[in-house]
Each structure stands twice: as C-alpha cells, then as structure tokens.
Amino acid sequence: FNYEVESDPVINSLWERTEKSAKLAGFIGNGLKITAYTGFDAKRVIIPNEIDGRPVISIGAKAFMNATVSEVILPKSLKAILSGAFHGCKDLKHIDLPDSIVYMGDYCFAGSGLTDFTCPSTLEIIPYACFSDCTELKKVILGNHVTKIGEYAFQNCSNLHSISLPESLLAVGSCAFVGTQISTIIFPSNVKEISADAFDYYREVVCVFLGKDTTVCDYGFSASLIYCLPGSKIQQIAREHGVPMRPLSEFRMEGLYE
C-alpha cells in the first residue's frame, strides 16, 4: 500500500465536514490513510490495524478503484471509507465493515461485484450512489442508526428485490431505488421525507407507510399502490396525485423478505 498521515478525511461538502469531522477529529494527524493499493494479482488483501505504530483510520478516495481483489480484510481501527474507494472492484463479492466505521463517501462501492452488504450500527448515512450499478447485489441489511439513504444509493442494483428499512430512517433521496427489482417497501413511522422519484415511474411499487407524518418532496409520486393510516400526510398526497390507496390495516407482509 501507499499511505500517508490522515489530514482531512471528509472532503465532499461543508455539511459533511461539520457533521462528520467531529467524530474523526481526534485521529487527524495521528492515524493513517491508505492512499493506493499497489498490488497486481493478489486476490486476498489484509489491511493491518497499524503501520509504523500508527492506526489505519481511513481508505482513501479511489484507493482500490478497479482492483481485481476478491477479498479485503479491513482493520478494526478503520473510521472512514472515502469516495470511490472500491469503485469498479468487480471481483469483490463480500466485505465486512468493522463496527468502528462512522463515514462512507460517495460511490465507495459503486460498480463493484458485491452480492450482499451489512451496514454496521455506527453508520448513519448511506451516501450518494454508494452502491449504484452493483448489479449482483441481492441482500442489504441496514444498521439500526441509519438516518438517510442518499440520492442514487442503490440505482441499477438490478438483482435487489427487497430491503428492510430501520426505524431510525428519516429520509430517502432522489432515485435511491431506481433500477432495482423492489416491488414492495415498508417505510417506518419515523421517516419524514421521501423523494418523489425514489423509484422508477414505469414500475409497479407498493409503498407501505407506518407513520402519519411522512411526506413526499418534489413532484408526483411513483407508487402503484399505497397503504397508509387514515388522516396521514401521505393519504392526502396520494389523493392529490390519484395514487390508489388502502388502509394500513389491510396490509399483509407474510413472505415479503423471503
């Protein structure tokens, strides 16, 4: 590997600097960033917890981009995986993220060969296009502290048929599930805002809303049928846009996640 002392692990936006840098501030100047993978044909890569006595705290932007690795063992010291770190790693089918992770950057696993992904409980945001074009991704388990699924997060994950959303979720971004095979999705009661174009307009997606205060931003709403509570905000939105709806009490979820 090439590596350097971590100086600023969050570079995408002022908001991210404010929200995330505080969690990593104690490691800046002390921990190390893997800036590039320098191997050729190795299939299994182990990233150590320490190098020269300093903890490895981040995987740098594009560090493994398009590498042919099929297995990467991440250190328990890791705090961040930056933008595009594993973009295009077609042979990478599975990766275990340590519970120390607090930040992932845009596109960090986009276009990879991941077939499943389990989000650690320490992670709060699934970032922009994080898993876009992961056409082999079939199973996703989100951690119980995820508050936002970013724009294009699962775009074109064409083998993803279902996903269970955690109670902590507050927002779902634009095109988050466009190009997936999800046909029914349940939005927990704490969700506040969903982008109107989170799904393909031409696909029939049944949306189930467990809360009264969930709203849809932007325009229209791409759902073929809505189950919701009487008097909820989503009931009024569905009526305004002519989306068929049924009372939540009629929804049955047997076999949904099989």
Side-chain angles (χ1 to χ4, degrees):
F1 311 103
N2 289 339
Y3 59 89
E4 64 185 25
V5 175
E6 180 59 88
S7 58
D8 186 1
V10 181
I11 60 175
N12 289 347
S13 70
L14 178 61
W15 181 87
E16 287 181 333
R17 287 174 184 268
T18 303
E19 294 295 318
K20 296 300 180 186
S21 290
K23 294 184 178 181
L24 300 169
F27 297 90
I28 294 173
N30 297 315
L32 299 180
K33 175 198 295 181
I34 301 297
T35 58
Y37 168 63
T38 57
F40 289 94
D41 299 322
K43 295 300 181 182
R44 188 172 190 262
V45 175
I46 300 175
I47 301 175
N49 284 294
E50 292 185 354
I51 300 176
D52 297 334
R54 292 190 175 189
V56 174
I57 66 164
S58 66
I59 308 297
K62 301 181 182 180
F64 284 82
M65 188 173 185
N66 294 325
T68 57
V69 295
S70 57
E71 183 180 8
V72 178
I73 308 300
L74 299 175
K76 294 181 179 179
S77 57
L78 199 67
K79 301 295 179 181
I81 299 175
L82 305 191
S83 300
F86 294 95
H87 190 296
C89 292
K90 296 292 187 183
D91 295 332
L92 186 64
K93 304 300 181 182
H94 174 82
I95 192 167
D96 290 319
L97 268 57
D99 288 336
S100 55
I101 290 281
V102 296
Y103 175 83
M104 292 197 306
D106 300 346
Y107 295 98
C108 58
F109 292 105
S112 70
L114 288 179
T115 60
D116 64 279
F117 179 80
T118 298
C119 176
S121 60
T122 48
L123 199 63
E124 297 178 3
I125 295 175
I126 305 300
Y128 184 99
C130 180
F131 300 100
S132 61
D133 299 312
C134 289
T135 56
E136 297 182 54
L137 187 65
K138 296 179 180 179
K139 183 179 181 180
V140 175
I141 299 175
L142 298 180
N144 55 14
H145 286 90
V146 170
T147 60
K148 180 183 178 181
I149 297 175
E151 292 84 354
Y152 302 94
F154 296 97
Q155 184 189 37
N156 295 332
C157 292
S158 53
N159 268 303
L160 187 62
H161 288 262
S162 67
I163 188 168
S164 179
L165 305 180
E167 290 294 330
S168 56
L169 189 65
L170 300 176
V172 177
S174 176
C175 300
F177 300 109
V178 165
T180 70
Q181 295 299 314
I182 294 173
S183 58
T184 301
I185 190 164
I186 300 174
F187 294 101
S189 57
N190 290 323
V191 175
K192 299 300 180 185
E193 186 176 89
I194 300 167
S195 176
D197 58 351
F199 299 92
D200 302 274
Y201 279 106
Y202 59 85
R203 289 196 66 246
E204 293 191 352
V205 180
V206 175
C207 294
V208 183
F209 296 89
L210 303 185
K212 276 200 166 188
D213 296 323
T214 305
T215 189
V216 175
C217 61
D218 302 325
Y219 51 89
F221 193 45
S222 50
S224 59
L225 175 63
I226 285 176
Y227 288 92
C228 60
L229 292 168
S232 61
K233 290 181 179 179
I234 204 71
Q235 182 188 32
Q236 184 61 34
I237 292 170
R239 181 169 288 121
E240 290 174 359
H241 294 282
V243 179
M245 56 184 166
R246 302 299 305 163
L248 182 60
S249 59
E250 292 186 7
F251 178 70
R252 300 292 179 266
M253 63 179 297
E254 289 83 359
L256 180 58
Y257 300 116
E258 292 180 356

